[in-house]
Amino acid sequence: MLEGKTAFVTGGSRGIGRAIAVALAKNGATVIINYCGSFEAAKETEEIIKNNGGMAYLLQGDVASSSDVERMFAWIAENVKRLDILVNNAGITRDNLILKMTDEEYSQVIDTNLKGVFYCLKHASRVMLKQRYGKIINISSISGIHGNPGQVNYSAAKAGVIGMTKTLARELSSRNINVNAIAPGYINTDMTVHLKEEIKAKALETIPLKRFGEGEDIAEAVVFLASDKASYITGQVLSVDGGMGI
Ligand code: NAD
């Protein structure tokens, strides 16, 4: 479905990002896997893709750093030439109730989850506008739609990503570029594994499909939005949350 396409996935070393990178490659795309600090984990993602017969590159860089993002896109321009699919997946949490949340916790989340997305969108837009083709998928969160106690920083960033998605969908639509967001619910990854059992049990009660999601649940939605089967869909937020947000 994605043969001949090139995809850049931020935060592709583990979790949802790994599942997305693997699924895009399984569907024929050449995948550039961005990682920040975890080379070993990123290498594992690359090996999974190569063992499945896919093509992948590793690209180190901190998405919260404007200069790192500039360097990564310069590398893509020089070595891969085109960019058909961008998946803004990298993200962090620094949860705290508002009275306890430090300026640093707030800024770290905004820098990675919102500014990082902006930097990648800016560079990818330049390439995609010239190509007159592109698929951008931003990983937001149910927290950015409904809010979540302890996450003023995270929900602000994820709601911001939804705003960026809609604006950019309008800005880029005339050049055959689709921009959509996915809002995952509760997905089993390193981000959620450390939550207290009582919090997990409470969360499960709110999910009509009665299970937490897996990275692959998000990855399949990304593959669809990255494909030409979704060519008439833009500016949308697709919740992949087991019905949590109904
Ligand atoms: P994770 O912690 O397992 O993975 C996050 C990835 O982002 C890691 O590979 C990490 O190294 C990378 N990353 C973090 N900061 C980075 C930076 N500055 N530069 C480059 N890479 C960086 O978490 P996950 O659950 O796989 O989350 C993936 C995305 O999905 C995030 O945007 C997250 O907010 C979102 N999300 C997750 C859930 C969930 O329940 N797990 C729910 C909603 C949304």
Coordinates of all heavy atoms in Angstrom, one line a residue, residues 3-58:
E3 N 4.3 1.3 -1.0 CA 5.5 1.1 -1.8 C 6.0 2.4 -2.4 O 5.2 3.2 -3.0 CB 5.3 0.0 -2.9 CG 5.2 -1.4 -2.4 CD 3.8 -1.7 -1.8 OE1 2.9 -1.0 -1.9 OE2 3.8 -2.8 -1.1
G4 N 7.3 2.6 -2.3 CA 7.9 3.8 -3.0 C 7.8 5.0 -2.1 O 8.4 6.1 -2.4
K5 N 7.1 4.9 -1.0 CA 7.0 6.1 -0.1 C 8.1 6.1 1.0 O 8.6 5.1 1.4 CB 5.6 6.1 0.6 CG 4.5 5.9 -0.3 CD 4.2 7.2 -1.1 CE 2.9 7.2 -1.9 NZ 3.0 7.7 -3.2
T6 N 8.4 7.3 1.4 CA 9.4 7.5 2.5 C 8.7 8.1 3.7 O 8.0 9.1 3.5 CB 10.5 8.4 2.0 OG1 11.2 7.8 0.9 CG2 11.5 8.6 3.1
A7 N 8.9 7.6 4.9 CA 8.3 8.1 6.1 C 9.3 8.4 7.1 O 10.3 7.7 7.3 CB 7.3 7.0 6.6
F8 N 9.0 9.5 7.9 CA 9.8 9.9 9.0 C 8.9 9.8 10.3 O 7.9 10.4 10.3 CB 10.3 11.3 8.8 CG 11.2 11.9 9.9 CD1 12.3 11.1 10.4 CD2 11.0 13.1 10.4 CE1 13.1 11.6 11.4 CE2 11.8 13.6 11.4 CZ 12.9 12.9 11.9
V9 N 9.4 9.0 11.2 CA 8.6 8.8 12.5 C 9.4 9.2 13.6 O 10.5 8.7 13.9 CB 8.3 7.3 12.6 CG1 7.5 7.1 13.9 CG2 7.5 6.7 11.4
T10 N 8.9 10.3 14.3 CA 9.7 10.7 15.5 C 9.4 9.8 16.7 O 8.3 9.3 16.8 CB 9.4 12.2 15.8 OG1 8.0 12.3 16.3 CG2 9.5 13.1 14.6
G11 N 10.4 9.7 17.5 CA 10.3 8.8 18.7 C 10.0 7.4 18.4 O 9.1 6.8 18.9
G12 N 10.7 6.9 17.4 CA 10.4 5.5 16.9 C 11.1 4.4 17.6 O 11.1 3.3 17.1
S13 N 11.8 4.7 18.7 CA 12.6 3.6 19.3 C 11.8 2.6 20.0 O 12.2 1.5 20.2 CB 13.7 4.2 20.2 OG 13.1 4.9 21.3
R14 N 10.6 3.0 20.5 CA 9.8 2.1 21.4 C 8.4 2.4 21.3 O 8.0 3.4 20.6 CB 10.3 2.1 22.8 CG 10.1 3.4 23.5 CD 10.6 3.5 24.9 NE 9.9 4.5 25.6 CZ 10.4 5.1 26.7 NH1 11.5 4.7 27.2 NH2 9.7 6.1 27.3
G15 N 7.6 1.7 22.0 CA 6.1 2.0 22.2 C 5.4 2.2 20.9 O 5.5 1.4 19.9
I16 N 4.5 3.2 20.9 CA 3.6 3.5 19.7 C 4.5 3.8 18.5 O 4.2 3.3 17.4 CB 2.7 4.6 20.1 CG1 1.7 4.2 21.2 CG2 1.9 5.1 18.8 CD1 0.8 5.3 21.7
G17 N 5.6 4.6 18.7 CA 6.4 5.0 17.6 C 7.0 3.7 16.9 O 7.1 3.7 15.6
R18 N 7.5 2.8 17.7 CA 8.0 1.5 17.1 C 6.9 0.8 16.3 O 7.2 0.4 15.2 CB 8.6 0.6 18.2 CG 9.0 -0.7 17.6 CD 9.5 -1.7 18.7 NE 10.9 -1.3 19.1 CZ 11.6 -2.0 20.0 NH1 11.1 -3.1 20.5 NH2 12.8 -1.6 20.4
A19 N 5.8 0.7 16.9 CA 4.7 -0.1 16.2 C 4.3 0.7 14.9 O 4.1 0.0 13.9 CB 3.5 -0.1 17.1
I20 N 4.4 2.0 14.9 CA 4.1 2.7 13.7 C 5.1 2.5 12.6 O 4.9 2.2 11.4 CB 3.9 4.3 14.0 CG1 2.7 4.5 14.8 CG2 3.9 5.1 12.7 CD1 2.6 5.9 15.4
A21 N 6.4 2.6 13.0 CA 7.5 2.4 12.1 C 7.5 1.0 11.5 O 7.6 0.9 10.2 CB 8.9 2.6 12.8
V22 N 7.2 0.0 12.3 CA 7.1 -1.4 11.8 C 6.0 -1.5 10.8 O 6.1 -2.1 9.8 CB 7.0 -2.4 13.0 CG1 6.7 -3.8 12.5 CG2 8.3 -2.3 13.8
A23 N 4.8 -1.0 11.2 CA 3.6 -1.1 10.3 C 3.8 -0.4 9.0 O 3.4 -0.9 7.9 CB 2.4 -0.6 11.0
L24 N 4.4 0.8 9.0 CA 4.6 1.5 7.7 C 5.5 0.7 6.8 O 5.3 0.6 5.6 CB 5.2 2.9 8.0 CG 4.2 3.9 8.7 CD1 5.0 5.2 9.1 CD2 3.1 4.3 7.7
A25 N 6.6 0.2 7.4 CA 7.6 -0.6 6.7 C 6.9 -1.9 6.1 O 7.2 -2.2 5.0 CB 8.8 -0.9 7.5
K26 N 6.1 -2.5 6.9 CA 5.4 -3.8 6.5 C 4.6 -3.5 5.2 O 4.3 -4.3 4.4 CB 4.5 -4.3 7.6 CG 5.2 -5.4 8.4 CD 4.1 -6.1 9.2 CE 4.8 -7.0 10.2 NZ 4.1 -7.3 11.4
N27 N 4.1 -2.2 5.2 CA 3.2 -1.8 4.1 C 4.0 -1.2 2.9 O 3.4 -0.7 2.0 CB 2.1 -0.9 4.5 CG 1.0 -1.7 5.2 OD1 0.1 -2.2 4.5 ND2 1.1 -1.8 6.5
G28 N 5.3 -1.3 3.0 CA 6.2 -1.0 1.8 C 7.0 0.3 1.9 O 7.8 0.6 1.0
A29 N 6.7 1.1 3.0 CA 7.4 2.4 3.1 C 8.9 2.2 3.5 O 9.1 1.3 4.3 CB 6.7 3.3 4.0
T30 N 9.7 3.1 3.1 CA 11.1 3.2 3.7 C 11.0 4.1 4.9 O 10.4 5.2 4.7 CB 12.1 3.8 2.7 OG1 12.2 2.9 1.6 CG2 13.4 4.0 3.3
V31 N 11.4 3.6 6.1 CA 11.1 4.4 7.3 C 12.4 5.0 7.9 O 13.4 4.2 8.1 CB 10.4 3.5 8.3 CG1 10.1 4.3 9.6 CG2 9.1 3.0 7.7
I32 N 12.4 6.2 8.2 CA 13.5 6.9 8.9 C 13.0 7.0 10.4 O 12.0 7.6 10.7 CB 13.7 8.3 8.3 CG1 14.1 8.2 6.8 CG2 14.9 9.0 9.1 CD1 13.7 9.4 6.1
I33 N 13.7 6.3 11.2 CA 13.3 6.2 12.6 C 14.1 7.2 13.4 O 15.3 7.1 13.6 CB 13.7 4.8 13.2 CG1 13.1 3.7 12.3 CG2 13.3 4.6 14.6 CD1 13.8 2.3 12.5
N34 N 13.4 8.2 13.9 CA 14.1 9.2 14.8 C 14.1 8.6 16.2 O 13.2 8.0 16.7 CB 13.4 10.5 14.8 CG 13.6 11.3 16.1 OD1 12.8 11.4 16.9 ND2 14.8 11.9 16.2
Y35 N 15.3 8.8 16.9 CA 15.4 8.5 18.3 C 16.2 9.6 19.0 O 16.9 10.4 18.3 CB 16.0 7.2 18.6 CG 17.5 7.1 18.2 CD1 18.5 7.3 19.2 CD2 17.9 7.0 16.9 CE1 19.8 7.3 18.8 CE2 19.2 7.0 16.5 CZ 20.2 7.1 17.5 OH 21.5 7.2 17.1
C36 N 16.0 9.8 20.3 CA 16.7 10.9 21.0 C 17.9 10.3 21.7 O 19.1 10.5 21.3 CB 15.8 11.6 21.9 SG 16.5 13.1 22.6
G37 N 17.7 9.5 22.8 CA 18.8 9.0 23.6 C 19.0 7.5 23.4 O 20.1 7.0 23.6
S38 N 17.9 6.8 23.1 CA 18.0 5.3 23.2 C 18.4 4.6 21.9 O 17.5 4.1 21.2 CB 16.6 4.8 23.7 OG 15.6 5.7 23.4
F39 N 19.7 4.6 21.6 CA 20.2 4.0 20.4 C 19.9 2.5 20.3 O 19.4 2.0 19.3 CB 21.7 4.3 20.3 CG 22.3 3.5 19.1 CD1 22.1 3.9 17.8 CD2 23.1 2.4 19.4 CE1 22.6 3.2 16.7 CE2 23.6 1.7 18.3 CZ 23.4 2.1 17.0
E40 N 20.1 1.8 21.5 CA 19.9 0.4 21.4 C 18.4 0.0 21.1 O 18.2 -0.9 20.2 CB 20.2 -0.2 22.8 CG 21.7 -0.1 23.2 CD 22.6 -0.8 22.2 OE1 22.1 -1.8 21.6 OE2 23.7 -0.3 21.9
A41 N 17.5 0.7 21.7 CA 16.1 0.5 21.4 C 15.8 0.8 19.9 O 15.0 0.0 19.2 CB 15.2 1.3 22.3
A42 N 16.3 1.9 19.4 CA 16.1 2.3 18.0 C 16.6 1.2 17.1 O 16.0 0.9 16.1 CB 16.7 3.7 17.8
K43 N 17.8 0.7 17.4 CA 18.4 -0.3 16.6 C 17.5 -1.6 16.6 O 17.4 -2.2 15.5 CB 19.8 -0.7 17.3 CG 20.7 -1.5 16.5 CD 21.6 -0.6 15.6 CE 22.3 -1.5 14.6 NZ 22.2 -1.1 13.2
E44 N 16.9 -1.9 17.7 CA 15.9 -3.0 17.7 C 14.8 -2.8 16.7 O 14.4 -3.7 16.0 CB 15.3 -3.2 19.1 CG 16.0 -4.2 20.0 CD 15.3 -4.3 21.3 OE1 14.1 -4.4 21.4 OE2 16.1 -4.3 22.4
T45 N 14.3 -1.6 16.7 CA 13.2 -1.3 15.8 C 13.7 -1.5 14.4 O 13.0 -2.1 13.5 CB 12.7 0.2 16.0 OG1 12.3 0.5 17.3 CG2 11.5 0.5 15.1
E46 N 14.9 -1.0 14.1 CA 15.4 -1.1 12.7 C 15.6 -2.6 12.4 O 15.2 -3.0 11.3 CB 16.8 -0.4 12.7 CG 17.4 -0.4 11.3 CD 18.9 0.1 11.3 OE1 19.6 -0.1 12.3 OE2 19.3 0.5 10.3
E47 N 16.0 -3.4 13.4 CA 16.2 -4.8 13.1 C 14.9 -5.5 12.8 O 14.8 -6.4 11.9 CB 17.0 -5.5 14.2 CG 18.5 -5.4 14.1 CD 19.3 -5.6 15.3 OE1 18.8 -6.3 16.2 OE2 20.4 -5.1 15.4
I48 N 13.9 -5.2 13.6 CA 12.5 -5.8 13.4 C 12.1 -5.5 11.9 O 11.7 -6.4 11.2 CB 11.5 -5.2 14.4 CG1 11.8 -5.6 15.8 CG2 10.1 -5.7 14.0 CD1 11.0 -4.9 16.8
I49 N 12.3 -4.3 11.5 CA 11.9 -3.9 10.1 C 12.7 -4.7 9.1 O 12.2 -5.2 8.1 CB 12.1 -2.4 9.9 CG1 11.0 -1.6 10.8 CG2 11.9 -2.0 8.4 CD1 11.1 -0.1 10.8
K50 N 14.0 -4.7 9.3 CA 14.9 -5.4 8.3 C 14.6 -6.9 8.3 O 14.6 -7.5 7.2 CB 16.4 -5.0 8.6 CG 16.6 -3.6 8.2 CD 18.1 -3.2 8.2 CE 18.2 -1.8 7.6 NZ 19.5 -1.2 7.8
N51 N 14.3 -7.5 9.4 CA 14.0 -8.9 9.5 C 12.7 -9.2 8.8 O 12.5 -10.3 8.3 CB 13.9 -9.4 10.9 CG 15.3 -9.4 11.6 OD1 16.3 -9.4 10.9 ND2 15.4 -9.4 12.9
N52 N 11.8 -8.2 8.7 CA 10.6 -8.4 7.9 C 10.8 -8.1 6.5 O 9.8 -8.0 5.7 CB 9.5 -7.5 8.5 CG 9.0 -7.9 9.8 OD1 9.1 -9.1 10.2 ND2 8.4 -7.0 10.6
G53 N 12.0 -7.8 6.1 CA 12.3 -7.5 4.6 C 12.1 -6.0 4.3 O 12.0 -5.6 3.1
G54 N 12.0 -5.1 5.3 CA 11.7 -3.7 5.1 C 13.0 -2.9 5.0 O 14.1 -3.4 5.3
M55 N 12.8 -1.6 4.7 CA 14.0 -0.7 4.6 C 13.8 0.4 5.7 O 12.8 1.0 5.9 CB 13.9 0.1 3.3 CG 14.6 -0.6 2.1 SD 16.3 -0.4 2.3 CE 16.5 1.3 1.8
A56 N 14.9 0.6 6.5 CA 14.9 1.6 7.5 C 16.2 2.3 7.7 O 17.3 1.7 7.4 CB 14.4 1.0 8.8
Y57 N 16.2 3.5 8.2 CA 17.4 4.3 8.6 C 17.1 4.8 10.0 O 16.0 5.0 10.4 CB 17.5 5.5 7.7 CG 17.7 5.3 6.3 CD1 16.7 5.3 5.4 CD2 19.0 5.0 5.7 CE1 16.9 5.1 4.0 CE2 19.2 4.8 4.4 CZ 18.1 4.8 3.5 OH 18.3 4.6 2.2
L58 N 18.2 5.0 10.7 CA 18.1 5.6 12.1 C 18.6 7.0 12.0 O 19.6 7.3 11.3 CB 19.0 4.8 13.1 CG 18.7 3.4 13.4 CD1 19.7 2.8 14.4 CD2 17.2 3.3 13.9

